[in-house]
Amino acid sequence: MPPKKRRFGRVRKLPSGRFQARYRDPDGTDRPAPRTFATETDANRWLTAIEADMIRGTWRNPDLGRIALSDYLTEWIDHRPGLRPRTLDLYRWLHRKHIAPRLGDYFLTDLTPGAIRAWRADLLTDGVSATMTAKAYRLLRAVLNTAVDDELIRRNPCRIQGAGIERPTERPTATVAQVFQLAGIVPGRLRVLILLAAFASLRYGELAALRRRDFDPRCRTLTVRATLTAELVTNLNEMVASSDEPGLAGLGFVMLILVMALVAGN
């Protein structure tokens, strides 16, 4: 008795003894399965799953995910104009230094949980710090989450529990006496920098961008107007306005008054 003909797709036996499955997508394109199968039953089951996806409307064109990770990641960064310059620089550096060399040529559809685990293990084996590895992993996971939203892949292959969590060693904190001791040692023009860094909790970029016009000696206040950034770690004179932090308020403002009073009184 001849075998019953399938209503969807077809299966044929290859000279190797394995079985190949093929089907026509909604556009009429004849597509082979991405792999061959050990038995005809396995090939038929795969075709049944593809047919079910089409009926449910969840089938995805496999060609859509055939984009190199490096190309997609570069586009992902470029489409986020709201990121701070330092964040953009960090993302591009992580991509160039830690992601592209090992995974950049992979198509999105070819990235598997195993490939991600091997990539992360290689970074740590090669001496990349756990903190920097976590940063690279978080970036990759965010990019591939977007690929899922774009319907380029079905599921994010970044599934390592806790891999994106940073556990940096706690840094020692200077005492108040040590801060004033250091402020007394450095050249006079750097004394305000030390005191503001210790008591006003300003970032280094904000401290480095301060100018004389930002100080109001009459009111003993300080206004944070800009942040110093290094575009691609090359242009150290690039000044970028901090639109989301035009000034300080609340406790930060009180602390600035205290620091200015300390400086003015000495």
PDB file of all heavy atoms in Angstrom, residues 137-174:
ATOM      1  N   TYR A 137      27.222  41.242  28.700  1.00  0.00           N
ATOM      2  CA  TYR A 137      26.086  40.320  28.650  1.00  0.00           C
ATOM      3  C   TYR A 137      24.762  41.086  28.694  1.00  0.00           C
ATOM      4  O   TYR A 137      23.833  40.765  27.950  1.00  0.00           O
ATOM      5  CB  TYR A 137      26.168  39.338  29.817  1.00  0.00           C
ATOM      6  CG  TYR A 137      25.034  38.330  29.839  1.00  0.00           C
ATOM      7  CD1 TYR A 137      25.132  37.139  29.126  1.00  0.00           C
ATOM      8  CD2 TYR A 137      23.880  38.575  30.572  1.00  0.00           C
ATOM      9  CE1 TYR A 137      24.097  36.212  29.135  1.00  0.00           C
ATOM     10  CE2 TYR A 137      22.837  37.655  30.582  1.00  0.00           C
ATOM     11  CZ  TYR A 137      22.949  36.483  29.868  1.00  0.00           C
ATOM     12  OH  TYR A 137      21.921  35.580  29.869  1.00  0.00           O
ATOM     13  N   ARG A 138      24.673  42.098  29.549  1.00  0.00           N
ATOM     14  CA  ARG A 138      23.435  42.880  29.636  1.00  0.00           C
ATOM     15  C   ARG A 138      23.131  43.597  28.323  1.00  0.00           C
ATOM     16  O   ARG A 138      21.980  43.674  27.891  1.00  0.00           O
ATOM     17  CB  ARG A 138      23.515  43.906  30.771  1.00  0.00           C
ATOM     18  CG  ARG A 138      23.354  43.325  32.147  1.00  0.00           C
ATOM     19  CD  ARG A 138      22.890  44.385  33.143  1.00  0.00           C
ATOM     20  NE  ARG A 138      23.706  45.582  33.092  1.00  0.00           N
ATOM     21  CZ  ARG A 138      24.828  45.752  33.784  1.00  0.00           C
ATOM     22  NH1 ARG A 138      25.278  44.766  34.552  1.00  0.00           N
ATOM     23  NH2 ARG A 138      25.512  46.878  33.716  1.00  0.00           N
ATOM     24  N   LEU A 139      24.179  44.137  27.694  1.00  0.00           N
ATOM     25  CA  LEU A 139      23.987  44.797  26.410  1.00  0.00           C
ATOM     26  C   LEU A 139      23.474  43.798  25.375  1.00  0.00           C
ATOM     27  O   LEU A 139      22.502  44.073  24.657  1.00  0.00           O
ATOM     28  CB  LEU A 139      25.293  45.431  25.939  1.00  0.00           C
ATOM     29  CG  LEU A 139      25.282  46.012  24.522  1.00  0.00           C
ATOM     30  CD1 LEU A 139      24.238  47.114  24.395  1.00  0.00           C
ATOM     31  CD2 LEU A 139      26.672  46.522  24.143  1.00  0.00           C
ATOM     32  N   LEU A 140      24.112  42.647  25.287  1.00  0.00           N
ATOM     33  CA  LEU A 140      23.698  41.637  24.315  1.00  0.00           C
ATOM     34  C   LEU A 140      22.267  41.185  24.577  1.00  0.00           C
ATOM     35  O   LEU A 140      21.469  41.029  23.641  1.00  0.00           O
ATOM     36  CB  LEU A 140      24.658  40.449  24.366  1.00  0.00           C
ATOM     37  CG  LEU A 140      24.368  39.306  23.393  1.00  0.00           C
ATOM     38  CD1 LEU A 140      24.422  39.795  21.950  1.00  0.00           C
ATOM     39  CD2 LEU A 140      25.360  38.164  23.602  1.00  0.00           C
ATOM     40  N   ARG A 141      21.925  40.990  25.838  1.00  0.00           N
ATOM     41  CA  ARG A 141      20.565  40.555  26.182  1.00  0.00           C
ATOM     42  C   ARG A 141      19.536  41.603  25.773  1.00  0.00           C
ATOM     43  O   ARG A 141      18.467  41.275  25.230  1.00  0.00           O
ATOM     44  CB  ARG A 141      20.472  40.285  27.690  1.00  0.00           C
ATOM     45  CG  ARG A 141      19.113  39.761  28.147  1.00  0.00           C
ATOM     46  CD  ARG A 141      19.142  39.445  29.622  1.00  0.00           C
ATOM     47  NE  ARG A 141      19.500  40.616  30.405  1.00  0.00           N
ATOM     48  CZ  ARG A 141      19.846  40.590  31.691  1.00  0.00           C
ATOM     49  NH1 ARG A 141      19.917  39.425  32.324  1.00  0.00           N
ATOM     50  NH2 ARG A 141      20.142  41.696  32.338  1.00  0.00           N
ATOM     51  N   ALA A 142      19.841  42.888  25.996  1.00  0.00           N
ATOM     52  CA  ALA A 142      18.919  43.958  25.615  1.00  0.00           C
ATOM     53  C   ALA A 142      18.736  44.017  24.101  1.00  0.00           C
ATOM     54  O   ALA A 142      17.617  44.208  23.601  1.00  0.00           O
ATOM     55  CB  ALA A 142      19.438  45.297  26.133  1.00  0.00           C
ATOM     56  N   VAL A 143      19.832  43.855  23.366  1.00  0.00           N
ATOM     57  CA  VAL A 143      19.761  43.883  21.902  1.00  0.00           C
ATOM     58  C   VAL A 143      18.896  42.733  21.388  1.00  0.00           C
ATOM     59  O   VAL A 143      18.041  42.919  20.507  1.00  0.00           O
ATOM     60  CB  VAL A 143      21.176  43.808  21.300  1.00  0.00           C
ATOM     61  CG1 VAL A 143      21.121  43.579  19.795  1.00  0.00           C
ATOM     62  CG2 VAL A 143      21.946  45.088  21.605  1.00  0.00           C
ATOM     63  N   LEU A 144      19.089  41.549  21.946  1.00  0.00           N
ATOM     64  CA  LEU A 144      18.331  40.390  21.480  1.00  0.00           C
ATOM     65  C   LEU A 144      16.884  40.430  21.955  1.00  0.00           C
ATOM     66  O   LEU A 144      15.999  39.846  21.317  1.00  0.00           O
ATOM     67  CB  LEU A 144      19.025  39.103  21.924  1.00  0.00           C
ATOM     68  CG  LEU A 144      20.394  38.879  21.277  1.00  0.00           C
ATOM     69  CD1 LEU A 144      21.042  37.598  21.788  1.00  0.00           C
ATOM     70  CD2 LEU A 144      20.286  38.852  19.755  1.00  0.00           C
ATOM     71  N   ASN A 145      16.599  41.120  23.057  1.00  0.00           N
ATOM     72  CA  ASN A 145      15.200  41.348  23.437  1.00  0.00           C
ATOM     73  C   ASN A 145      14.494  42.172  22.367  1.00  0.00           C
ATOM     74  O   ASN A 145      13.325  41.925  22.042  1.00  0.00           O
ATOM     75  CB  ASN A 145      15.125  42.080  24.785  1.00  0.00           C
ATOM     76  CG  ASN A 145      15.218  41.135  25.964  1.00  0.00           C
ATOM     77  OD1 ASN A 145      14.920  39.949  25.856  1.00  0.00           O
ATOM     78  ND2 ASN A 145      15.628  41.659  27.107  1.00  0.00           N
ATOM     79  N   THR A 146      15.204  43.160  21.830  1.00  0.00           N
ATOM     80  CA  THR A 146      14.631  43.956  20.748  1.00  0.00           C
ATOM     81  C   THR A 146      14.431  43.108  19.499  1.00  0.00           C
ATOM     82  O   THR A 146      13.436  43.263  18.785  1.00  0.00           O
ATOM     83  CB  THR A 146      15.540  45.158  20.421  1.00  0.00           C
ATOM     84  OG1 THR A 146      15.724  45.941  21.592  1.00  0.00           O
ATOM     85  CG2 THR A 146      14.925  46.037  19.335  1.00  0.00           C
ATOM     86  N   ALA A 147      15.360  42.188  19.233  1.00  0.00           N
ATOM     87  CA  ALA A 147      15.213  41.296  18.083  1.00  0.00           C
ATOM     88  C   ALA A 147      13.966  40.424  18.222  1.00  0.00           C
ATOM     89  O   ALA A 147      13.282  40.131  17.231  1.00  0.00           O
ATOM     90  CB  ALA A 147      16.459  40.432  17.926  1.00  0.00           C
ATOM     91  N   VAL A 148      13.653  40.014  19.461  1.00  0.00           N
ATOM     92  CA  VAL A 148      12.410  39.264  19.703  1.00  0.00           C
ATOM     93  C   VAL A 148      11.210  40.158  19.413  1.00  0.00           C
ATOM     94  O   VAL A 148      10.249  39.745  18.743  1.00  0.00           O
ATOM     95  CB  VAL A 148      12.364  38.738  21.151  1.00  0.00           C
ATOM     96  CG1 VAL A 148      10.998  38.112  21.446  1.00  0.00           C
ATOM     97  CG2 VAL A 148      13.470  37.721  21.387  1.00  0.00           C
ATOM     98  N   ASP A 149      11.242  41.407  19.904  1.00  0.00           N
ATOM     99  CA  ASP A 149      10.141  42.343  19.646  1.00  0.00           C
ATOM    100  C   ASP A 149       9.978  42.618  18.161  1.00  0.00           C
ATOM    101  O   ASP A 149       8.852  42.836  17.678  1.00  0.00           O
ATOM    102  CB  ASP A 149      10.389  43.658  20.391  1.00  0.00           C
ATOM    103  CG  ASP A 149      10.312  43.506  21.895  1.00  0.00           C
ATOM    104  OD1 ASP A 149       9.713  42.508  22.355  1.00  0.00           O
ATOM    105  OD2 ASP A 149      10.849  44.372  22.612  1.00  0.00           O
ATOM    106  N   ASP A 150      11.087  42.631  17.426  1.00  0.00           N
ATOM    107  CA  ASP A 150      11.048  42.861  15.976  1.00  0.00           C
ATOM    108  C   ASP A 150      10.651  41.614  15.204  1.00  0.00           C
ATOM    109  O   ASP A 150      10.608  41.632  13.963  1.00  0.00           O
ATOM    110  CB  ASP A 150      12.422  43.334  15.474  1.00  0.00           C
ATOM    111  CG  ASP A 150      12.752  44.745  15.918  1.00  0.00           C
ATOM    112  OD1 ASP A 150      11.833  45.473  16.336  1.00  0.00           O
ATOM    113  OD2 ASP A 150      13.949  45.131  15.847  1.00  0.00           O
ATOM    114  N   GLU A 151      10.393  40.527  15.943  1.00  0.00           N
ATOM    115  CA  GLU A 151       9.986  39.244  15.356  1.00  0.00           C
ATOM    116  C   GLU A 151      11.052  38.673  14.420  1.00  0.00           C
ATOM    117  O   GLU A 151      10.757  38.019  13.431  1.00  0.00           O
ATOM    118  CB  GLU A 151       8.637  39.371  14.630  1.00  0.00           C
ATOM    119  CG  GLU A 151       7.506  39.775  15.562  1.00  0.00           C
ATOM    120  CD  GLU A 151       6.155  39.763  14.884  1.00  0.00           C
ATOM    121  OE1 GLU A 151       6.115  39.614  13.640  1.00  0.00           O
ATOM    122  OE2 GLU A 151       5.133  39.885  15.573  1.00  0.00           O
ATOM    123  N   LEU A 152      12.312  38.929  14.757  1.00  0.00           N
ATOM    124  CA  LEU A 152      13.417  38.363  13.994  1.00  0.00           C
ATOM    125  C   LEU A 152      13.843  37.018  14.559  1.00  0.00           C
ATOM    126  O   LEU A 152      14.382  36.174  13.835  1.00  0.00           O
ATOM    127  CB  LEU A 152      14.608  39.327  14.000  1.00  0.00           C
ATOM    128  CG  LEU A 152      14.339  40.714  13.398  1.00  0.00           C
ATOM    129  CD1 LEU A 152      15.587  41.587  13.517  1.00  0.00           C
ATOM    130  CD2 LEU A 152      13.900  40.602  11.945  1.00  0.00           C
ATOM    131  N   ILE A 153      13.652  36.821  15.868  1.00  0.00           N
ATOM    132  CA  ILE A 153      13.914  35.541  16.513  1.00  0.00           C
ATOM    133  C   ILE A 153      12.755  35.230  17.437  1.00  0.00           C
ATOM    134  O   ILE A 153      12.024  36.136  17.872  1.00  0.00           O
ATOM    135  CB  ILE A 153      15.243  35.545  17.305  1.00  0.00           C
ATOM    136  CG1 ILE A 153      15.260  36.688  18.330  1.00  0.00           C
ATOM    137  CG2 ILE A 153      16.428  35.672  16.357  1.00  0.00           C
ATOM    138  CD1 ILE A 153      16.513  36.706  19.191  1.00  0.00           C
ATOM    139  N   ARG A 154      12.580  33.966  17.742  1.00  0.00           N
ATOM    140  CA  ARG A 154      11.455  33.564  18.574  1.00  0.00           C
ATOM    141  C   ARG A 154      11.690  33.836  20.062  1.00  0.00           C
ATOM    142  O   ARG A 154      10.792  34.251  20.777  1.00  0.00           O
ATOM    143  CB  ARG A 154      11.168  32.069  18.393  1.00  0.00           C
ATOM    144  CG  ARG A 154      10.521  31.710  17.070  1.00  0.00           C
ATOM    145  CD  ARG A 154      10.267  30.212  17.011  1.00  0.00           C
ATOM    146  NE  ARG A 154       9.565  29.854  15.794  1.00  0.00           N
ATOM    147  CZ  ARG A 154       8.253  29.892  15.651  1.00  0.00           C
ATOM    148  NH1 ARG A 154       7.505  30.293  16.651  1.00  0.00           N
ATOM    149  NH2 ARG A 154       7.691  29.543  14.517  1.00  0.00           N
ATOM    150  N   ARG A 155      12.916  33.577  20.490  1.00  0.00           N
ATOM    151  CA  ARG A 155      13.203  33.658  21.924  1.00  0.00           C
ATOM    152  C   ARG A 155      14.630  34.140  22.124  1.00  0.00           C
ATOM    153  O   ARG A 155      15.518  33.810  21.321  1.00  0.00           O
ATOM    154  CB  ARG A 155      13.000  32.283  22.575  1.00  0.00           C
ATOM    155  CG  ARG A 155      13.080  32.298  24.094  1.00  0.00           C
ATOM    156  CD  ARG A 155      12.838  30.908  24.644  1.00  0.00           C
ATOM    157  NE  ARG A 155      12.998  30.863  26.089  1.00  0.00           N
ATOM    158  CZ  ARG A 155      13.050  29.755  26.800  1.00  0.00           C
ATOM    159  NH1 ARG A 155      12.946  28.585  26.208  1.00  0.00           N
ATOM    160  NH2 ARG A 155      13.204  29.803  28.115  1.00  0.00           N
ATOM    161  N   ASN A 156      14.850  34.906  23.173  1.00  0.00           N
ATOM    162  CA  ASN A 156      16.182  35.410  23.466  1.00  0.00           C
ATOM    163  C   ASN A 156      17.072  34.266  23.952  1.00  0.00           C
ATOM    164  O   ASN A 156      16.735  33.587  24.926  1.00  0.00           O
ATOM    165  CB  ASN A 156      16.097  36.488  24.547  1.00  0.00           C
ATOM    166  CG  ASN A 156      17.376  37.291  24.675  1.00  0.00           C
ATOM    167  OD1 ASN A 156      18.467  36.788  24.449  1.00  0.00           O
ATOM    168  ND2 ASN A 156      17.256  38.543  25.049  1.00  0.00           N
ATOM    169  N   PRO A 157      18.234  34.045  23.316  1.00  0.00           N
ATOM    170  CA  PRO A 157      19.115  32.962  23.756  1.00  0.00           C
ATOM    171  C   PRO A 157      19.936  33.301  25.006  1.00  0.00           C
ATOM    172  O   PRO A 157      20.649  32.440  25.514  1.00  0.00           O
ATOM    173  CB  PRO A 157      20.034  32.750  22.545  1.00  0.00           C
ATOM    174  CG  PRO A 157      20.085  34.086  21.880  1.00  0.00           C
ATOM    175  CD  PRO A 157      18.727  34.690  22.078  1.00  0.00           C
ATOM    176  N   CYS A 158      19.869  34.558  25.475  1.00  0.00           N
ATOM    177  CA  CYS A 158      20.588  34.939  26.707  1.00  0.00           C
ATOM    178  C   CYS A 158      19.756  34.512  27.909  1.00  0.00           C
ATOM    179  O   CYS A 158      18.853  35.238  28.346  1.00  0.00           O
ATOM    180  CB  CYS A 158      20.840  36.452  26.727  1.00  0.00           C
ATOM    181  SG  CYS A 158      21.984  37.032  25.471  1.00  0.00           S
ATOM    182  N   ARG A 159      20.053  33.353  28.451  1.00  0.00           N
ATOM    183  CA  ARG A 159      19.221  32.786  29.528  1.00  0.00           C
ATOM    184  C   ARG A 159      20.049  32.337  30.725  1.00  0.00           C
ATOM    185  O   ARG A 159      19.623  31.493  31.512  1.00  0.00           O
ATOM    186  CB  ARG A 159      18.427  31.591  28.993  1.00  0.00           C
ATOM    187  CG  ARG A 159      17.570  31.913  27.771  1.00  0.00           C
ATOM    188  CD  ARG A 159      16.952  30.664  27.186  1.00  0.00           C
ATOM    189  NE  ARG A 159      16.537  30.876  25.810  1.00  0.00           N
ATOM    190  CZ  ARG A 159      16.185  29.898  24.974  1.00  0.00           C
ATOM    191  NH1 ARG A 159      16.203  28.643  25.398  1.00  0.00           N
ATOM    192  NH2 ARG A 159      15.834  30.178  23.733  1.00  0.00           N
ATOM    193  N   ILE A 160      21.249  32.883  30.875  1.00  0.00           N
ATOM    194  CA  ILE A 160      22.119  32.471  31.977  1.00  0.00           C
ATOM    195  C   ILE A 160      21.686  33.199  33.246  1.00  0.00           C
ATOM    196  O   ILE A 160      21.732  34.431  33.314  1.00  0.00           O
ATOM    197  CB  ILE A 160      23.592  32.776  31.667  1.00  0.00           C
ATOM    198  CG1 ILE A 160      23.996  32.126  30.341  1.00  0.00           C
ATOM    199  CG2 ILE A 160      24.490  32.304  32.801  1.00  0.00           C
ATOM    200  CD1 ILE A 160      25.385  32.511  29.883  1.00  0.00           C
ATOM    201  N   GLN A 161      21.286  32.455  34.242  1.00  0.00           N
ATOM    202  CA  GLN A 161      20.790  33.033  35.490  1.00  0.00           C
ATOM    203  C   GLN A 161      21.868  33.877  36.161  1.00  0.00           C
ATOM    204  O   GLN A 161      22.961  33.399  36.455  1.00  0.00           O
ATOM    205  CB  GLN A 161      20.338  31.916  36.448  1.00  0.00           C
ATOM    206  CG  GLN A 161      19.578  32.399  37.659  1.00  0.00           C
ATOM    207  CD  GLN A 161      18.157  32.800  37.314  1.00  0.00           C
ATOM    208  OE1 GLN A 161      17.625  32.406  36.292  1.00  0.00           O
ATOM    209  NE2 GLN A 161      17.533  33.581  38.187  1.00  0.00           N
ATOM    210  N   GLY A 162      21.562  35.151  36.396  1.00  0.00           N
ATOM    211  CA  GLY A 162      22.460  36.039  37.134  1.00  0.00           C
ATOM    212  C   GLY A 162      23.658  36.542  36.358  1.00  0.00           C
ATOM    213  O   GLY A 162      24.509  37.233  36.925  1.00  0.00           O
ATOM    214  N   ALA A 163      23.750  36.233  35.054  1.00  0.00           N
ATOM    215  CA  ALA A 163      24.939  36.623  34.291  1.00  0.00           C
ATOM    216  C   ALA A 163      25.060  38.127  34.098  1.00  0.00           C
ATOM    217  O   ALA A 163      26.152  38.632  33.868  1.00  0.00           O
ATOM    218  CB  ALA A 163      24.935  35.933  32.930  1.00  0.00           C
ATOM    219  N   GLY A 164      23.945  38.851  34.191  1.00  0.00           N
ATOM    220  CA  GLY A 164      23.993  40.295  33.993  1.00  0.00           C
ATOM    221  C   GLY A 164      24.154  41.096  35.269  1.00  0.00           C
ATOM    222  O   GLY A 164      24.153  42.329  35.242  1.00  0.00           O
ATOM    223  N   ILE A 165      24.321  40.413  36.388  1.00  0.00           N
ATOM    224  CA  ILE A 165      24.435  41.097  37.681  1.00  0.00           C
ATOM    225  C   ILE A 165      25.900  41.384  37.979  1.00  0.00           C
ATOM    226  O   ILE A 165      26.750  40.488  37.899  1.00  0.00           O
ATOM    227  CB  ILE A 165      23.826  40.240  38.808  1.00  0.00           C
ATOM    228  CG1 ILE A 165      22.344  39.980  38.533  1.00  0.00           C
ATOM    229  CG2 ILE A 165      24.007  40.927  40.159  1.00  0.00           C
ATOM    230  CD1 ILE A 165      21.687  39.047  39.536  1.00  0.00           C
ATOM    231  N   GLU A 166      26.188  42.624  38.299  1.00  0.00           N
ATOM    232  CA  GLU A 166      27.551  43.012  38.673  1.00  0.00           C
ATOM    233  C   GLU A 166      27.733  42.859  40.178  1.00  0.00           C
ATOM    234  O   GLU A 166      26.871  43.258  40.956  1.00  0.00           O
ATOM    235  CB  GLU A 166      27.829  44.454  38.267  1.00  0.00           C
ATOM    236  CG  GLU A 166      27.834  44.685  36.767  1.00  0.00           C
ATOM    237  CD  GLU A 166      28.127  46.133  36.422  1.00  0.00           C
ATOM    238  OE1 GLU A 166      28.991  46.738  37.088  1.00  0.00           O
ATOM    239  OE2 GLU A 166      27.492  46.658  35.488  1.00  0.00           O
ATOM    240  N   ARG A 167      28.856  42.286  40.554  1.00  0.00           N
ATOM    241  CA  ARG A 167      29.183  42.130  41.975  1.00  0.00           C
ATOM    242  C   ARG A 167      30.582  42.695  42.236  1.00  0.00           C
ATOM    243  O   ARG A 167      31.516  41.949  42.546  1.00  0.00           O
ATOM    244  CB  ARG A 167      29.106  40.665  42.398  1.00  0.00           C
ATOM    245  CG  ARG A 167      27.716  40.050  42.230  1.00  0.00           C
ATOM    246  CD  ARG A 167      27.702  38.596  42.648  1.00  0.00           C
ATOM    247  NE  ARG A 167      26.370  38.015  42.568  1.00  0.00           N
ATOM    248  CZ  ARG A 167      25.856  37.482  41.475  1.00  0.00           C
ATOM    249  NH1 ARG A 167      26.573  37.463  40.361  1.00  0.00           N
ATOM    250  NH2 ARG A 167      24.638  36.963  41.474  1.00  0.00           N
ATOM    251  N   PRO A 168      30.720  44.004  42.081  1.00  0.00           N
ATOM    252  CA  PRO A 168      32.053  44.599  42.253  1.00  0.00           C
ATOM    253  C   PRO A 168      32.494  44.557  43.706  1.00  0.00           C
ATOM    254  O   PRO A 168      31.680  44.568  44.631  1.00  0.00           O
ATOM    255  CB  PRO A 168      31.850  46.051  41.786  1.00  0.00           C
ATOM    256  CG  PRO A 168      30.392  46.317  42.028  1.00  0.00           C
ATOM    257  CD  PRO A 168      29.695  45.008  41.768  1.00  0.00           C
ATOM    258  N   THR A 169      33.787  44.485  43.899  1.00  0.00           N
ATOM    259  CA  THR A 169      34.343  44.514  45.249  1.00  0.00           C
ATOM    260  C   THR A 169      34.084  45.881  45.866  1.00  0.00           C
ATOM    261  O   THR A 169      34.263  46.914  45.223  1.00  0.00           O
ATOM    262  CB  THR A 169      35.857  44.241  45.212  1.00  0.00           C
ATOM    263  OG1 THR A 169      36.093  42.989  44.566  1.00  0.00           O
ATOM    264  CG2 THR A 169      36.438  44.224  46.616  1.00  0.00           C
ATOM    265  N   GLU A 170      33.636  45.881  47.109  1.00  0.00           N
ATOM    266  CA  GLU A 170      33.327  47.158  47.769  1.00  0.00           C
ATOM    267  C   GLU A 170      34.602  47.988  47.937  1.00  0.00           C
ATOM    268  O   GLU A 170      35.625  47.501  48.416  1.00  0.00           O
ATOM    269  CB  GLU A 170      32.704  46.895  49.144  1.00  0.00           C
ATOM    270  CG  GLU A 170      32.226  48.174  49.827  1.00  0.00           C
ATOM    271  CD  GLU A 170      31.502  47.883  51.127  1.00  0.00           C
ATOM    272  OE1 GLU A 170      31.255  46.692  51.411  1.00  0.00           O
ATOM    273  OE2 GLU A 170      31.193  48.839  51.857  1.00  0.00           O
ATOM    274  N   ARG A 171      34.514  49.234  47.529  1.00  0.00           N
ATOM    275  CA  ARG A 171      35.678  50.110  47.606  1.00  0.00           C
ATOM    276  C   ARG A 171      35.735  50.787  48.973  1.00  0.00           C
ATOM    277  O   ARG A 171      34.701  51.140  49.545  1.00  0.00           O
ATOM    278  CB  ARG A 171      35.596  51.187  46.524  1.00  0.00           C
ATOM    279  CG  ARG A 171      35.589  50.628  45.112  1.00  0.00           C
ATOM    280  CD  ARG A 171      35.439  51.736  44.093  1.00  0.00           C
ATOM    281  NE  ARG A 171      35.396  51.207  42.731  1.00  0.00           N
ATOM    282  CZ  ARG A 171      35.202  51.954  41.652  1.00  0.00           C
ATOM    283  NH1 ARG A 171      35.018  53.262  41.797  1.00  0.00           N
ATOM    284  NH2 ARG A 171      35.182  51.405  40.450  1.00  0.00           N
ATOM    285  N   PRO A 172      36.944  50.984  49.495  1.00  0.00           N
ATOM    286  CA  PRO A 172      37.064  51.676  50.789  1.00  0.00           C
ATOM    287  C   PRO A 172      36.631  53.131  50.646  1.00  0.00           C
ATOM    288  O   PRO A 172      36.819  53.759  49.599  1.00  0.00           O
ATOM    289  CB  PRO A 172      38.557  51.560  51.116  1.00  0.00           C
ATOM    290  CG  PRO A 172      39.223  51.370  49.792  1.00  0.00           C
ATOM    291  CD  PRO A 172      38.257  50.571  48.951  1.00  0.00           C
ATOM    292  N   THR A 173      36.039  53.667  51.701  1.00  0.00           N
ATOM    293  CA  THR A 173      35.559  55.052  51.704  1.00  0.00           C
ATOM    294  C   THR A 173      36.445  55.895  52.620  1.00  0.00           C
ATOM    295  O   THR A 173      36.724  55.499  53.758  1.00  0.00           O
ATOM    296  CB  THR A 173      34.106  55.125  52.198  1.00  0.00           C
ATOM    297  OG1 THR A 173      33.295  54.294  51.358  1.00  0.00           O
ATOM    298  CG2 THR A 173      33.583  56.548  52.145  1.00  0.00           C
ATOM    299  N   ALA A 174      36.873  57.034  52.121  1.00  0.00           N
ATOM    300  CA  ALA A 174      37.709  57.935  52.927  1.00  0.00           C
ATOM    301  C   ALA A 174      36.891  58.547  54.060  1.00  0.00           C
ATOM    302  O   ALA A 174      35.703  58.840  53.902  1.00  0.00           O
ATOM    303  CB  ALA A 174      38.285  59.039  52.046  1.00  0.00           C
TER     304      ALA A 174
END
